[in-house]
Amino acid sequence: MGAQWKAKGKALVADAKGKLFGKLVKEITVAARLGGGDPASNSRLRMAVEAARKASMPKDTLERAIKKGSGAGADAVNYSTVLFEGYAPHRVPVMVECLTDNPNRTAPNMRVCFRKGQLTAVAWDFDHVGMIEGEAENGADVELAAIEAGAQDFEAGEEEGVTLFITEPTDLDTVSKALPEQGIKVLSAKLGYKAKNPVSMGGLSAEAQEEVQAFLAGLENDDDVQHVYVGLVD
């Protein structure tokens, strides 16, 4: 039994890593298509490459993704961004950003994912913002760093020790470059959606919490889903 559980655990880890690599490859490909294949002059590509390296993506996989996006390879591909919005169970608002090479496949898949929710307009309940995850180094003052770098706001990130800095969409690159000068190591930077009126997880029953979590897990498992923004707080 022990060997079977170990094998199952390894398979789950491999599957999770495969899904992560798939999302990173798409992000690198799109970034290269939009801004060129040189990370030095393409901030979105630079951050995607750093994320890929942090995830231990093989170098040849990374380079192939850049070539796909920049059109330099024989297997060049064109992904498009498709945004879906609606409610998870119990009126939890969600914005789902997909990167796909076939929108005709993605749309029906999303309708299936939303069967226990509702596809409807909820963008009015979100702000479109820049999101930068960073770690304070050498005792750096997070609040002072946010002010000096020009961030709009900051809050605790999902992981311990990580801070989420919020910016105007047009200030994302400027702030991400300024934060390291204030002692903040930038881990990721992207444009995303922040809920204006998030639902409290603590206000839901245990059964309702499980239903929401199952719904969100279903979204994350779809290969075309790149990011899921949820109006939910602890």
Side-chain angles (χ1 to χ4, degrees):
M1 179 64 75
Q4 289 177 342
W5 277 108
K6 286 180 181 178
K8 182 178 180 181
K10 287 180 180 178
L12 289 172
V13 170
D15 183 59
K17 189 167 232 182
K19 287 184 180 298
L20 174 60
F21 280 4
K23 292 179 186 295
L24 289 170
V25 163
K26 285 184 178 181
E27 176 61 23
I28 291 168
T29 302
V30 171
R33 176 170 63 85
L34 295 176
D38 182 7
S41 58
N42 183 342
S43 60
R44 179 173 176 176
L45 178 60
R46 182 173 66 252
M47 296 307 303
V49 167
E50 289 178 7
R53 286 174 176 160
K54 183 180 177 182
S56 301
M57 178 182 286
K59 184 179 179 181
D60 61 337
T61 302
L62 193 158
E63 292 177 346
R64 190 161 58 247
I66 294 176
K67 288 180 179 178
K68 279 185 179 181
S70 59
D75 55 351
V77 66
N78 185 18
Y79 289 110
S80 59
T81 300
V82 185
L83 195 64
F84 295 88
E85 48 188 296
Y87 290 107
H90 307 286
R91 301 290 289 180
V92 175
V94 292
M95 301 283 286
V96 185
E97 183 180 297
C98 296
L99 284 179
T100 178
D101 58 352
N102 184 359
N104 291 329
R105 174 194 65 230
T106 306
N109 287 351
M110 285 297 99
R111 285 196 290 271
V112 171
C113 287
F114 272 87
R115 279 185 304 185
K116 293 189 176 181
Q118 180 186 5
L119 277 169
T120 188
V122 296
W124 55 268
D125 202 20
F126 287 82
D127 288 321
H128 191 213
V129 298
M131 297 177 164
I132 303 170
E133 290 183 315
E135 288 179 332
E137 297 184 307
N138 303 318
D141 186 314
V142 171
E143 182 175 6
L144 180 61
I147 294 171
E148 293 294 330
Q152 272 191 323
D153 200 0
F154 68 94
E155 60 188 49
E158 293 183 0
E159 297 180 21
E160 186 176 353
V162 174
T163 300
L164 178 64
F165 297 89
I166 306 298
T167 78
E168 291 283 358
T170 53
D171 292 339
L172 177 64
D173 192 42
T174 300
V175 176
S176 65
K177 289 178 179 177
L179 282 171
E181 299 173 3
Q182 304 300 323
I184 304 297
K185 179 182 178 182
V186 173
L187 305 176
S188 69
K190 65 183 179 184
L191 294 174
Y193 296 87
K194 182 175 174 56
K196 298 177 184 177
N197 303 291
V199 175
S200 171
M201 182 68 104
L204 301 176
S205 67
E207 182 181 357
Q209 290 182 27
E210 289 181 4
E211 290 174 354
V212 172
Q213 290 168 349
F215 177 89
L216 297 176
L219 289 175
E220 293 282 4
N221 283 333
D222 188 281
D223 289 339
D224 290 335
V225 173
Q226 193 73 0
H227 300 294
V228 179
Y229 303 98
V230 188
L232 196 63
V233 292
D234 293 335

